[in-house]
Amino acid sequence: MEQARPRWHAGSDDDQHFAREPRAKLQQSAGAGHATDGQPGERGGVHVLIADDHDLLRDSLAAFLNSDGEFRVSEAADLGSALRMARAGGRFDLVLLDYSMPGMNGFDGLGAMLAASPGTPVAVMSGALNPMLGERALERGAAGFIPKTLAARELVAAIRTMIGGARFTPDPEWKPERAPVEPGVALSRREEQVLGLLNGGLTNREIAERLGLQEVTAKLHVKNLCRKLDARNRTHAVLIGQQLGLI
């Protein structure tokens, strides 16, 4: 399933999609406000940590926010790096976490960041507008749910909303509802555990070690998951699981 592309780009109007510019050019456009180690940049008063494993998307968003003059941005490419920055004393006004980046393991990463940076609002970003996923993020303590298709002006408004202490959802009329589960999709407790670990990017061997199973047993659980979810492969199974609210 193809996800809509982000609409953030430094210097663009609200209706443009971000351009596929070389990373070096995007970093240059970020200017003095760019920071990668959790320390403030020279520009802006609002310190935002963006944690996302997609370099182009992360750099585009950082460049856009830095160009505003109100923000300074730090970046991380995975949850572990973001947590180290927070635990090392990085002071952020807001943290933006990509739901699907390495280390997140569903919403476990959200909980870890909330614990590492108490009092700091933490929002979850996703490549798709999934109301059910947004509902679960808010239930787990997120300050907001940010679709990556959000227009630039709305993104800035969302950041201000969350820093101000309110929670953000994409639309005032947005009413999260449980996604209908396809008939016949009933996972066992063990299969739910395996699906969660697949979402964290673990291999069959790593899943087996984590759950105390034989590798062949873990492989069988993955095969059963793909069959029950009508998934082409393990990656497709994770995507379907996210859409159905199973992880």
Side-chain angles (χ1 to χ4, degrees), residues 69-129:
E70 179 181 354
F71 305 98
R72 59 179 182 261
V73 177
S74 295
E75 300 178 34
D78 53 58
L79 178 67
S81 299
L83 290 174
R84 285 192 293 273
M85 293 165 67
R87 291 166 179 162
R91 296 184 178 181
F92 306 107
D93 297 295
L94 177 69
V95 177
L96 300 177
L97 294 180
D98 175 39
Y99 177 75
S100 300
M101 71 177 169
M104 282 294 286
N105 192 24
F107 288 108
D108 290 349
L110 170 62
M113 179 55 72
L114 289 170
S117 192
T120 300
V122 180
V124 173
M125 300 188 295
S126 174
L129 178 55

Side-chain angles (χ1 to χ4, degrees), residues 154-176:
E154 294 171 340
L155 174 65
V156 173
I159 290 175
R160 290 173 178 154
T161 294
M162 292 182 288
I163 290 174
R167 297 203 297 180
F168 174 82
T169 53
D171 189 293
E173 302 300 322
W174 185 60
K175 296 179 180 179

